[in-house]
Amino acid sequence: MSCVAVLVDHDRGIPSGGALEALTAARPLAADLGVAVNAVVLGDGELFDAHGADLVAACAAYGAACVHRGRHALLADYGPDAWGAALAGFVEIAGPVAVVAAGTDRGAEAMAQLAARTDLPLVANCVDVSPAGSPADASSGRPAGEAWQITRIQWGGSLLEDVTLTSTLPLLTIAQHSVEAETANSSTTDVDVVDFEPELGPQVRQTLVRDRVTLTEGITLSTAPVVVSGGRGVGAADGFAPLEELAELLGGRVGCSRAVTNNGWRSHADQVGQTGTRIAPEIYIACGISGAIQHWVGAMGSKNILAINIDPEANMVTKAGYAVIADLHEVVPAICDEIRRRRDRPT
Amino acid sequence: MRILVCVKRVPAVGSRINVTDDGQQVDTAHLGFTTSPHEECAVEEAAQIVERLDGDDHAVVVLTLGPEASAEQLRYAASVGGSEFALVTAEGGLDWDPQRTAVAITDAVRELEAAGGLFDLILFGNESADGGNFQVGIRVAHALGRPIVNGIKGIDVGERGFTARRETDAGYEVYELEAPCALGVKEGINLPRYPTMKGRLASRKAQIQELDCAGGADAGGQSRVRLHRPPERASTTVQLGDSAEAAPAVVDLLDELGVL
Ligand SMILES: Cc1cc2nc3c(=O)[nH]c(=O)nc-3n(C[C@H](O)[C@H](O)[C@H](O)COP(=O)(O)OP(=O)(O)OC[C@H]3O[C@@H](n4cnc5c(N)ncnc54)[C@H](O)[C@@H]3O)c2cc1C
Ligand SMILES: Nc1ncnc2c1ncn2[C@@H]1O[C@H](COP(=O)(O)O)[C@@H](O)[C@H]1O
């Protein structure tokens, strides 16, 4: 039976959050097309021995009726060529009606590799997909038709683009955080597991991960429950000390705007925004940041936002749920003092 | 060493992006244009790589596909380290679908290499700032039969090729590619320089070669219907204070959210 195939991108056996979102997004699409959702995971024997059962269980929980495991020694670790070639092999064997992946670094890259190999169009970072033949939508004025009607993000999410897609095999990536990953209701016990061995030429070796270096232990900017960010308003590199302190007190991480990285005050690894990191903390504390659209798209996944800014009209302030209109150099140390005072207070 | 950098001209948008009435493009009536940020860093990286090498037999060739006005971005590249410049003229604007763009750029690279020799390295941005298709570089590299890795935030020149570092959430991955190859780079790989006086002079003198490779490229399967702004999140801002006196209210909030 044909399927909507979802590439479940993973890092040494741990699926990305985006992959679970992509599986979630694929369910209504597959239902529209009257086919099942299948998952594709790539690895070698050792990886599947260690993580195969967990990967299959995760795919099943998020609605995959069948998991295709691409096995090959050259899939022991990630490599864009190896993943692209394996996906192309899968498409030939299984004949899916569409292939979907997350708009993560790996998902996006492997899908572009597949698109290049098959010379098919790839629509990146979709937020809404209506396959051909789906009913017209009166509210958006969208006609029913032969081509697929898709809405995707541009400018990192600042703009939306409606496109039509004409293709023998639609290839899509799903914009991260555009759907919330939700487990499927259906029973998960009768998932099929099918192994396939893609043919991989020696040239894929060139782009395999050779080595990796860990710089941050524990929580990272994209996973931190609290992010305390500073912008041009912080004024200098050493102006970040109180922000570091606040982040430390709250078990969070420090972020910054592009104005800060451009001034060399902090490393680009800390930058939040379109060309930086997308964050999704419980609370984002934005200090001295104006809230330009390219910054906002990186921060808008935050559940709550507190803006500390001297300008009550700043975008960050008007878009935030909470604001303090004052000098960050006074407010941030006062917050740190207040936290310490409460913690020291005997209860 | 010959390095090619592919850059895209994009509107320099401000705090919000407006769209023209027909929904076909960003309203640039009150905007300037700039080079997409990842690619600005790609030009800087290429300039730094050749500056570290001995000899003067090196070139940083900068290519853009777009309307005639994209010459502005090539002239800027000339002021910050570019040495040769190619403009692939694209009729009907600068925002073609990614398949068509890739075919035209591939043809242009073949033409440039036929005349000037193989590029040891081709640099792209990780994604273009406007379209964000995450694929043009990968399509071009594949068509040319060269390996490519995206998301690169560090490049070292080796004996036979390049060592590249790709940022991950917690650190980086290391890749080793043999030349000729391609890399998609990300902002943060370096801090692009500002044009110097000498640079501005070079910019004025820059010879721009126009290539007409666009003729053969058919439109791809993805076609624009319209651009529009996402609905804005309606928010009422609760003001917690206008001085450091707000600290207790802020800490109450943190407590309420369970992050204290
Ligand atoms: C294609 C593209 C991609 C981009 N990607 C990103 C990105 O990923 N991330 C990003 O951040 N930007 C990005 N930008 C840049 C973005 O457009 C803005 O230029 C940048 O975000 C501005 O940084 P800022 O808010 O720190 O500085 P400004 O806009 O200068 O704002 C400084 C703010 O600090 C306030 N302030 C000043 N002093 C104090 C004080 N003592 N106390 C409290 N408040 C004070 C001011 O009122 C003001 O609101 C991108 C731009 C482009 C074109
Ligand atoms: N019109 C263009 N001219 C030159 N290079 C381009 C153009 N469009 C895309 N590119 C290159 O391809 C990369 C990826 O673009 P995209 O697939 O649109 O995200 C960009 O970062 C550029 O390096």
Side-chain angles (χ1 to χ4, degrees):
Chain A
M1 193 181 101
S2 192
C3 65
V4 169
V6 180
L7 168 68
V8 174
D9 71 297
H10 62 87
D11 186 16
R12 289 157 289 165
I14 313 298
S16 74
L20 305 181
E21 295 170 0
L23 281 165
T24 307
R27 296 203 302 259
L29 176 61
D32 268 358
L33 292 163
V35 298
V37 172
N38 285 7
V40 183
V41 289
L42 305 172
D44 67 344
E46 204 178 313
L47 185 136
F48 287 129
D49 284 347
H51 302 282
D54 288 348
L55 278 168
V56 168
C59 295
Y62 286 86
C66 176
V67 180
H68 301 261
R69 300 195 302 187
R71 275 174 185 270
H72 197 290
L74 292 173
L75 295 170
D77 202 340
Y78 178 72
D81 268 309
W83 278 37
L87 268 183
F90 163 78
V91 164
E92 259 184 36
I93 297 165
V97 294
V99 186
V100 176
T104 50
D105 288 348
R106 289 183 177 183
E109 187 175 41
M111 288 297 282
Q113 285 282 352
L114 172 63
R117 285 178 157 76
T118 52
D119 198 21
L120 290 167
L122 162 65
V123 185
N125 285 320
C126 303
V127 294
D128 188 42
V129 181
S130 307
S134 62
D137 177 351
S139 65
S140 74
R142 194 164 52 207
E146 284 307 301
W148 287 31
Q149 316 284 327
I150 297 173
T151 303
R152 61 182 297 270
I153 60 172
Q154 281 217 349
W155 291 96
S158 312
L159 270 192
L160 297 176
E161 180 186 24
D162 294 342
V163 300
T164 56
L165 170 65
T166 319
S167 177
T168 50
L169 175 63
L171 308 180
L172 317 168
T173 63
I174 305 297
Q176 287 193 75
H177 308 310
S178 63
V179 285
E180 205 160 315
E182 265 175 41
T183 53
N185 298 325
S186 55
S187 148
T188 60
T189 45
D190 53 354
V191 59
D192 286 329
V193 178
V194 179
D195 284 347
F196 69 100
E197 184 160 350
E199 276 177 41
L200 302 179
Q203 77 285 353
V204 308
R205 284 177 196 280
Q206 276 230 45
T207 57
L208 294 177
V209 174
R210 284 298 157 89
D211 197 6
R212 43 171 60 84
V213 174
T214 304
L215 298 174
T216 324
E217 296 286 355
I219 56 158
T220 61
L221 194 54
S222 63
T223 59
V226 177
V227 175
V228 183
S229 254
R232 198 192 306 278
V234 174
D238 54 16
F240 275 86
L243 279 71
E244 296 270 8
E245 197 180 339
L246 180 54
E248 174 93 38
L249 284 166
L250 297 173
R253 305 268 316 164
V254 170
C256 67
S257 73
R258 188 169 181 238
V260 168
T261 43
N262 273 349
N263 277 316
W265 299 343
R266 291 193 78 84
S267 149
H268 186 271
D270 295 345
Q271 184 175 310
V272 171
Q274 183 182 340
T275 49
T277 301
R278 267 131 223 273
I279 59 167
E282 192 56 37
I283 183 163
Y284 182 49
I285 305 178
C287 312
I289 296 178
S290 64
I293 189 86
Q294 302 90 355
H295 185 82
W296 176 254
V297 292
M300 67 186 180
S302 311
K303 299 205 180 57
N304 296 279
I305 296 178
L306 165 65
I308 302 175
N309 201 303
I310 45 176
D311 176 8
E313 301 300 322
N315 244 314
M316 203 72 220
V317 172
T318 57
K319 285 183 171 172
Y322 305 91
V324 176
I325 308 303
D327 187 340
L328 70 94
H329 300 102
E330 287 162 18
V331 180
V332 177
I335 297 171
C336 293
D337 287 345
E338 178 67 16
I339 293 172
R340 273 191 298 262
R341 199 181 61 77
R342 290 196 196 185
R343 286 189 180 159
D344 291 346
R345 194 167 53 195
T347 41
Chain B
M1 166 136 25
R2 277 172 71 73
I3 305 180
L4 175 72
V5 190
C6 294
V7 306
K8 187 172 182 188
R9 167 183 171 89
V10 299
V13 295
S15 60
R16 105 190 250 171
I17 305 181
N18 295 313
V19 174
T20 53
D21 287 341
D22 67 1
Q24 291 308 300
Q25 51 194 329
V26 171
D27 185 355
T28 54
H30 306 286
L31 297 180
F33 286 82
T34 182
T35 303
S36 184
H38 296 313
E39 292 129 62
E40 200 181 328
C41 293
V43 173
E44 175 66 33
E45 193 64 19
Q48 289 188 15
I49 289 172
V50 301
E51 282 161 9
R52 283 196 299 264
L53 298 172
D54 296 330
D56 51 10
D57 187 22
H58 310 297
V60 173
V61 183
V62 185
L63 176 151
T64 191
L65 178 146
E68 293 281 344
S70 313
E72 181 191 349
Q73 278 56 53
L74 297 178
R75 292 205 178 275
Y76 184 81
S79 73
V80 289
S83 59
E84 292 170 34
F85 311 93
L87 172 60
V88 185
T89 45
E91 272 161 54
L94 75 159
D95 213 9
W96 278 1
D97 69 81
Q99 265 179 303
R100 189 180 192 182
T101 302
V103 169
I105 292 179
T106 304
D107 288 348
V109 175
R110 291 204 171 108
E111 197 172 321
L112 290 171
E113 291 194 330
L118 226 59
F119 293 111
D120 303 275
L121 176 64
I122 305 182
L123 292 180
F124 298 92
N126 188 63
E127 87 276 5
S128 56
D130 53 352
N133 299 300
F134 292 82
Q135 58 187 264
V136 167
I138 293 167
R139 285 184 189 274
V140 172
H142 187 265
L144 295 168
R146 294 179 203 179
I148 180 166
V149 180
N150 231 13
I152 296 305
K153 273 184 124 176
I155 301 174
D156 290 319
V157 181
E159 274 297 288
R160 297 167 56 202
F162 302 88
T163 302
R165 290 182 294 281
R166 162 160 159 157
E167 184 177 47
T168 62
D169 216 22
Y172 57 86
E173 296 164 347
V174 181
Y175 294 86
E176 271 164 34
L177 289 83
E178 274 173 36
C181 63
L183 294 168
V185 309
K186 265 195 179 171
E187 183 182 80
I189 190 172
N190 54 45
L191 267 183
R193 69 193 68 179
Y194 292 103
T196 55
M197 269 313 281
K198 192 171 149 233
R200 270 187 264 264
L201 208 66
S203 155
R204 246 174 282 143
K205 286 195 192 147
Q207 298 280 326
I208 295 175
Q209 180 186 359
E210 287 203 19
L211 299 174
D212 177 26
C213 300
D218 297 327
Q222 173 183 327
S223 143
R224 177 172 301 163
V225 178
R226 70 181 181 116
L227 293 169
H228 51 107
R229 264 209 307 265
E232 285 192 18
R233 181 155 99 180
S235 82
T236 38
T237 311
V238 180
Q239 200 176 311
L240 299 178
D242 55 8
S243 70
E245 308 281 293
V250 170
V251 181
D252 285 346
L253 171 67
L254 297 173
D255 198 8
E256 225 170 87
L257 297 177
V259 296
L260 200 53

